[in-house]
Amino acid sequence: MRFASVLTTSLLAVTACATTPTEDASPTAVYDPWEGFNRQIYAFNDGVDQAVLEPVAKGYRAVTNEPVRGGVSNFLTNLNQPVVFANTVLQGKPGAAIDTATRFAVNSTVGLAGILDVATSLDVPQHREDFGQTLGVWGVPNGPYIVLPFLGSSNVRDTVGFGVDIAFDPLNYAQFEGDNEFLITRQVVGVVSARESVIEAVEVLRDQPEPYVALRRLYTQQRAAAIRDGREQEDPFEDLPDFDDYDFGEEEEFESQEE
Amino acid sequence: MMKIRNWIISSAMLAVAAAPAFADTQTEEYVRANANDVLASLNAPGLTADERREQFQTYMDEFTNLDAVAKFVIGKYAKRFSDEEMEAYLTTFRNYALVVYEFYFNEYRGQDVKVTGSTDRNARDSIVDTEIVRADGQELEVRWRVLNRGGKYQVVDVALNAEGNLIWLAIEQQAQFLSILDKNNGSVEALNAKINSMTDELIAQRPAESS
């Protein structure tokens, strides 16, 4: 049943991908043909966030200390390592795959089921990979920007990736007593923990002149950087815009320098 | 003989291509000295909050080209506004920009700005890389885009490096301002109203001792 819903999600996303129009030619523009609809979902998500998520996240921060929140975050991150591992393999990164497998083995055992991040103290680096990134590494373009209800910013490629990552997660197939309750708790705690970690960032976002546009651009740029594994672009200054069109009021000095 | 000549030419070309692109030391020094002055001005002892603000704004006016930034962030509308509209907008933007810079630079006041490198896009356009260590020990990578106009250096944009993603503040602001203008049929009043409301919000958020 669970697999069927995953498959449906993936197929829906793939169908959407098949109708992807071409990307905007501008280097930093985000292709958002469904902007009207996306803005409505964004407003809905923001309403839910302000009414429920933000207060819960702030409450969670108030009743827990940093080590506890760190332990929760470590535990959730560790549960996701099989998905990360699958994606490192698919991206052809054996070093990252070995790191991820090692982290999972060490943290699941010595790290008390992932609560302690022992692997980091042993200098085994953490990798963050998902199937959206894998598709990006394979050269699949973003496709149109999408705001998903409750889930937030995405694009067609990452929505497909999201569905595939659910399908990759062995926990979604594991059968044990209380498995459904465990999965639901994991999702709820995961959302609260993730929201708590961005309390300040969301406040900065809300201070922006146009938060929808700001988030759309930030999401797209951050995903591109994640696909590059956090490396800067080869020539990060190549596409910078020209300021010469915006009158500097010192034409004479400028001309004299050119001579 | 021919082979030797080709080898020399190839080596020379390779050397030129591989040479690191450094902005001249004057540009780097310009950023180092001024960025430090700006951050120091927010921490100047013996001055009242108003005096500190005045000093900060004087440095910012010298360090940056606020009018060029203001025009850049409205993109195509820079040529569409009437003179009166432009004048009103430039004043509104200037007030906002100074409050924003003060608000965010305040977190780094009194900290040391260290130049770590630079790149010339061309003879008049350079990027200077710096690191600023915050009071809490967090290290921030900041890039300054400096234009040389007739021997006068001025900063027109600043980028923060977030996990490999360079976020250029003026470019991001342009995307947002253009969206506001597009939604309001290019109305300068609508944009000014939005900017003023953001300025007021930032002033309201100022710590009590610096208001």
Side-chain angles (χ1 to χ4, degrees):
Chain A
M1 186 64 188
R2 220 178 277 143
F3 182 72
S5 80
V6 167
L7 197 65
T8 313
T9 311
S10 304
L11 281 176
L12 268 174
V14 169
T15 313
C17 195
T19 57
T20 302
T22 51
E23 290 276 348
D24 193 299
S26 167
T28 60
V30 179
Y31 184 52
D32 187 5
W34 306 318
E35 181 170 346
F37 179 71
N38 282 341
R39 279 186 183 269
Q40 288 180 34
I41 302 293
Y42 176 86
F44 168 77
N45 286 350
D46 194 42
V48 171
D49 185 73
Q50 294 196 41
V52 183
L53 273 183
E54 188 177 32
V56 171
K58 286 183 171 172
Y60 171 65
R61 182 178 284 188
V63 300
T64 55
N65 59 20
E66 212 288 317
V68 168
R69 291 195 296 275
V72 170
S73 174
N74 289 342
F75 176 74
L76 292 164
T77 302
N78 193 54
L79 285 183
N80 192 46
Q81 292 311 291
V83 175
V84 175
F85 175 79
N87 283 297
T88 55
V89 171
L90 290 170
Q91 290 175 30
K93 295 172 180 164
I98 292 167
D99 288 341
T100 305
T102 308
R103 287 184 65 83
F104 186 65
V106 170
N107 285 347
S108 300
T109 52
V110 188
L112 306 176
I115 294 169
L116 303 175
D117 184 3
V118 181
T120 294
S121 51
L122 295 174
D123 289 332
V124 184
Q126 184 182 340
H127 301 274
R128 295 185 183 89
E129 304 291 358
D130 54 58
F131 197 69
Q133 289 183 53
T134 299
L135 290 173
V137 169
W138 291 350
V140 177
N142 297 347
Y145 179 73
I146 309 174
V147 182
L148 299 170
F150 300 105
L151 298 170
S153 291
S154 189
N155 54 46
V156 169
R157 183 197 62 211
D158 292 345
T159 305
V160 174
F162 179 72
V164 173
D165 282 332
I166 294 173
F168 277 165
D169 192 343
L171 270 178
N172 286 328
Y173 306 99
Q175 307 248 326
F176 53 91
E177 198 172 317
D179 53 358
N180 279 326
E181 290 78 2
F182 177 80
L183 289 177
I184 292 167
T185 308
R186 174 199 184 187
Q187 288 304 327
V188 172
V189 176
V191 168
V192 175
S193 172
R195 182 61 182 86
E196 185 276 334
S197 68
V198 292
I199 286 176
E200 288 79 11
V202 172
E203 282 167 3
V204 171
L205 181 71
R206 287 193 177 129
D207 282 343
Q208 297 299 303
E210 259 279 42
Y212 174 85
V213 173
L215 183 60
R216 179 174 72 185
R217 292 176 59 83
L218 186 65
Y219 174 80
T220 305
Q221 291 170 21
Q222 288 299 109
R223 290 295 290 172
I227 290 166
R228 299 191 302 268
D229 287 335
R231 285 187 296 272
E232 278 185 15
Q233 288 166 286
E234 234 164 72
D235 186 354
F237 312 129
E238 189 183 11
D239 294 326
L240 288 181
D242 203 348
F243 269 77
D244 279 342
D245 290 341
Y246 304 97
D247 176 31
F248 273 72
E250 292 182 18
E251 289 297 322
E252 286 175 14
E253 283 185 48
F254 170 61
E255 281 166 13
S256 66
Q257 194 213 14
E258 287 287 281
E259 284 164 8
Chain B
M1 191 64 191
M2 192 68 174
K3 272 183 185 172
I4 293 172
R5 201 182 65 180
N6 285 345
W7 181 83
I8 292 170
I9 292 170
S10 309
S11 303
M13 285 174 69
L14 198 67
V16 169
F22 289 131
D24 61 85
T25 47
Q26 268 184 312
T27 319
E28 292 188 7
E29 177 54 22
Y30 173 79
V31 169
R32 193 200 61 76
N34 285 282
N36 276 306
D37 281 348
V38 165
L39 295 187
S41 71
L42 289 169
N43 208 31
L47 296 183
T48 66
D50 283 343
E51 287 167 341
R52 264 204 298 271
R53 185 161 301 126
E54 199 178 318
Q55 196 181 56
F56 170 75
Q57 294 187 355
T58 306
Y59 279 129
M60 287 306 296
D61 268 333
E62 188 61 31
F63 190 30
T64 62
N65 189 331
L66 277 182
D67 280 357
V69 177
K71 288 175 185 170
F72 171 76
V73 298
I74 53 171
K76 63 191 177 194
Y77 292 96
K79 290 188 175 119
R80 297 185 190 173
F81 286 176
S82 68
D83 289 349
E84 293 76 26
E85 286 175 334
M86 183 56 86
E87 197 180 329
Y89 163 71
L90 288 178
T91 306
T92 307
F93 181 84
R94 186 177 183 283
N95 292 338
Y96 168 67
L98 290 173
V99 171
V100 169
Y101 295 147
E102 183 188 334
F103 189 83
Y104 288 105
F105 284 171
N106 221 11
E107 288 186 38
Y108 302 93
R109 63 180 178 177
Q111 300 302 315
D112 191 36
V113 179
K114 199 170 69 185
V115 172
T116 57
S118 54
T119 309
D120 285 333
R121 295 189 73 233
N122 56 53
R124 303 184 295 116
D125 189 346
S126 308
I127 314 292
V128 177
D129 309 340
T130 64
E131 269 175 16
I132 308 176
V133 182
R134 239 167 43 168
D136 62 6
Q138 199 187 328
E139 217 167 74
L140 189 72
E141 226 180 273
V142 183
R143 313 274 172 97
W144 309 77
R145 187 164 175 202
V146 187
L147 301 187
N148 177 355
R149 294 293 181 264
K152 185 174 168 60
Y153 296 105
Q154 279 193 310
V155 171
V156 291
D157 205 353
V158 173
L160 307 177
N161 187 347
E163 296 177 347
N165 173 25
L166 283 184
I167 302 169
W168 288 96
L169 302 186
I171 295 175
E172 294 311 306
Q173 200 164 42
Q174 186 190 59
Q176 297 181 54
F177 277 18
L178 287 179
S179 172
I180 292 170
L181 285 163
D182 288 346
K183 277 196 301 188
N184 291 283
N185 299 317
S187 161
V188 69
E189 289 83 12
L191 180 63
N192 285 346
K194 179 70 189 171
I195 296 173
N196 281 330
S197 75
M198 292 188 303
T199 308
D200 292 344
E201 274 175 40
L202 286 169
I203 289 173
Q205 288 179 48
R206 272 177 185 160
E209 68 269 22
S210 68
S211 59

